[in-house]
Amino acid sequence: MRVNYDQIFDQAIDRLHTEGRYRVFIDILRNKGAYPNARCFHGHNGPKPITVWCSNDYLAMGQHPKVIDAMEEALHDVGAGSGGTRNIGGNTHYHVELEAELAGLHGKEGALLFTSGYVSNDATLSTMAKLLPGCVIFSDELNHASMIAGIRNSGCEKRVFRHNDMAYLEELLAAEDEETPKLIAFESVYSMDGDVAPIHDICDLAEKYNALTYIDEVHAVGMYGDHGGGISERDRAAHRIDIIEGTLGKAFGVMGGYIAADRKVVDCIRSYAPGFIFTTSLSPALVAGVLAAVKHLKESSEEREAQQRNAALLKTKMADARLPVMQSETHIVPLMVGDPVRAKKISDILLAEYGAYVQPINFPTVPRGTERLRFTPGPAHTEEMMDELVEALVEIWDRMDLELRKAA
């Protein structure tokens, strides 16, 4: 019997619809300089004004005049593209400058740019393990998909430890031979729950068992620390971490990923990682924009302080309205729903009836049964916007006969 490829693909999509996990990406344009205001083209003719509540452009740096001006200047100076891989096209001076800036941000000897945070995790972790004969990677169970992919692509052995469980991590480390190369991979801010890793405790174990440390700071760079160096800067732990990985597409507002580490480590990744060697480098205009964002956030705390205030305020308003907001010590505001179909329906109603955009978060991003809405208020979200959002959520909760928390 001939293989029916169309049937296989249809069944794969049907499974997602049946489970309530089929993802719909809305058609949207942000309004330059007016974040969180945007125009939505999804589900109707022409643009409709909406308020964005789930962007990872946490500080609205993608809208900042310094960033836009820098990108325009670079575009008119050197053109649109980079000309290929850095091996073929060479380093534009913007790349050299940004890598020096990022190395300085984290107190490291060097840094290396990638086309995305996903690629920087995948390429670095897979390459590091291949360079270390017999390496075992110890991975937090809530690590991002890109870290999991990098570990899998390395072909090395892995040990998954329970989330932030230091006793379990030590048990796993102690079970390995002293001469076995070890690498502990974890995140600083876990973006779905909004909790933070015990960085110093992990570093203590790494020193005790002679392991390297790799931290993913993608949801923390720009957001924490006196200069935006992330949780590792805030907690005065950056010098204890061997490799710091970050993104340029969230708090820095543009696109790309990077690692910062000792010069030898950076040189090894630059020289051995296929995900770096064979990929066209970032457009100079993008790099120029990121460079402006990093320099600005090194000097300015105004944006992150306003963002933290607004995140705390939204959590309080949701809690006061007895909505099931999850406890979070960071800028992430997760609202638990616990069902993929209901999470999607709440999101749809918010967008269609209230002009509020928040995307439902479903499996495999979060475990089944913990589906949620994930809010990321920025510096420009007003208290009036928050009140309107909370009133809308309470009305939808009542309409759908969902359970509110009991009054204290």
Side-chain angles (χ1 to χ4, degrees):
M1 182 183 294
R2 292 170 62 86
V3 176
N4 188 331
Y5 295 104
D6 285 342
Q7 184 181 41
I8 293 172
F9 297 140
D10 286 340
Q11 288 173 346
I13 296 300
D14 287 345
R15 283 197 301 273
L16 296 178
H17 281 292
T18 301
E19 296 171 12
R21 296 196 295 118
Y22 184 76
R23 300 184 183 215
V24 177
F25 305 147
I26 73 164
D27 187 351
I28 185 174
L29 288 173
R30 296 198 293 173
N31 299 330
K32 175 188 169 186
Y35 178 83
N37 297 315
R39 292 156 283 166
C40 177
F41 296 81
H42 178 75
H44 44 77
N45 295 322
K48 173 185 174 181
I50 63 170
T51 302
V52 177
W53 284 100
C54 56
S55 174
N56 282 344
D57 185 0
Y58 294 132
L59 304 179
M61 290 304 297
Q63 306 282 308
H64 199 285
K66 288 182 181 179
V67 174
I68 294 170
D69 289 347
M71 293 182 71
E72 288 181 342
E73 183 179 341
L75 182 64
H76 292 293
D77 183 28
V78 301
S82 64
T85 66
R86 289 169 72 173
N87 179 53
I88 292 173
N91 287 333
T92 70
H93 190 62
Y94 294 110
H95 288 75
V96 175
E97 268 196 283
L98 179 55
E99 285 174 345
E101 199 74 34
L102 291 168
L105 176 65
H106 296 294
K108 300 299 183 186
E109 293 178 345
L112 189 67
L113 291 176
F114 294 85
T115 50
S116 73
Y118 189 106
V119 174
S120 55
N121 269 333
D122 187 358
T124 304
L125 284 167
S126 61
T127 302
M128 280 292 292
K130 288 174 182 176
L131 290 173
L132 300 168
C135 179
V136 176
I137 294 183
F138 299 81
S139 175
D140 189 289
E141 66 177 343
L142 295 189
N143 278 343
H144 189 265
S146 58
M147 301 174 76
I148 295 169
I151 296 167
R152 182 185 301 116
N153 291 336
S154 73
C156 75
E157 289 193 44
K158 67 177 180 181
R159 307 284 184 264
V160 178
F161 60 93
R162 290 186 292 269
H163 179 53
N164 282 349
D165 188 331
M166 294 299 98
Y168 188 42
L169 174 57
E170 179 163 22
E171 181 182 321
L172 295 174
L173 286 164
E176 298 298 330
D177 191 284
E178 186 177 350
E179 296 182 2
T180 298
K182 307 171 190 69
L183 187 151
I184 305 171
F186 61 103
E187 300 184 36
S188 60
V189 173
Y190 290 85
S191 64
M192 292 301 117
D193 292 344
D195 58 340
V196 173
I199 300 178
H200 281 292
D201 292 343
I202 292 173
C203 290
D204 289 344
L205 291 177
E207 291 172 6
K208 181 176 179 179
Y209 293 97
N210 192 28
L212 296 174
T213 47
Y214 181 103
I215 189 171
D216 175 316
E217 286 260 40
V218 296
H219 291 277
V221 289
M223 302 293 294
Y224 300 91
D226 295 337
H227 307 94
I231 298 293
S232 58
E233 183 192 17
R234 185 199 72 176
D235 292 356
R236 305 293 186 262
H239 64 286
R240 305 186 69 189
I241 302 290
D242 294 294
I243 302 174
I244 296 174
E245 184 268 348
T247 184
L248 308 170
K250 292 185 171 63
F252 294 131
V254 189
M255 179 182 178
Y258 68 92
I259 61 165
D262 290 347
R263 191 171 289 109
K264 285 183 181 179
V265 172
V266 170
D267 200 19
C268 280
I269 303 303
R270 181 190 70 86
S271 302
Y272 283 94
F276 173 80
I277 296 169
F278 299 107
T279 301
T280 297
S281 62
L282 286 167
S283 158
L286 294 173
V287 179
V290 175
L291 183 59
V294 173
K295 286 182 175 179
H296 176 79
L297 291 175
K298 274 187 173 181
E299 302 299 325
S300 172
S301 295
E302 178 182 344
E303 291 82 5
R304 49 183 165 263
E305 288 173 359
Q307 198 281 336
Q308 290 288 341
R309 284 196 302 271
N310 281 346
L313 182 58
L314 182 58
K315 290 174 195 175
T316 298
K317 287 180 178 292
M318 286 182 172
D320 289 346
R322 294 165 50 209
L323 290 164
V325 60
M326 299 168 62
Q327 287 191 344
S328 162
E329 57 186 295
T330 60
H331 58 282
I332 309 295
V333 185
L335 191 62
M336 179 58 68
V337 179
D339 176 83
V341 175
R342 287 176 171 175
K344 177 68 167 59
K345 187 172 182 180
I346 295 168
S347 171
D348 289 345
I349 295 172
L350 281 171
L351 183 64
E353 299 183 22
Y354 293 96
Y357 171 51
V358 60
Q359 189 74 345
I361 307 295
N362 297 327
F363 178 84
T365 307
V366 295
R368 297 179 193 274
T370 67
E371 292 82 5
R372 67 201 63 179
L373 304 175
R374 175 181 173 274
F375 297 87
T376 54
H381 283 92
T382 65
E383 186 168 359
E384 182 182 4
M385 290 175 180
M386 295 183 204
D387 288 337
E388 290 174 355
L389 173 67
V390 170
E391 287 174 11
L393 286 165
V394 169
E395 188 278 321
I396 295 168
W397 242 253
D398 180 64
R399 186 195 313 187
M400 294 178 60
D401 198 26
L402 298 174
E403 188 174 342
L404 291 169
R405 284 186 175 160
K406 293 180 180 179

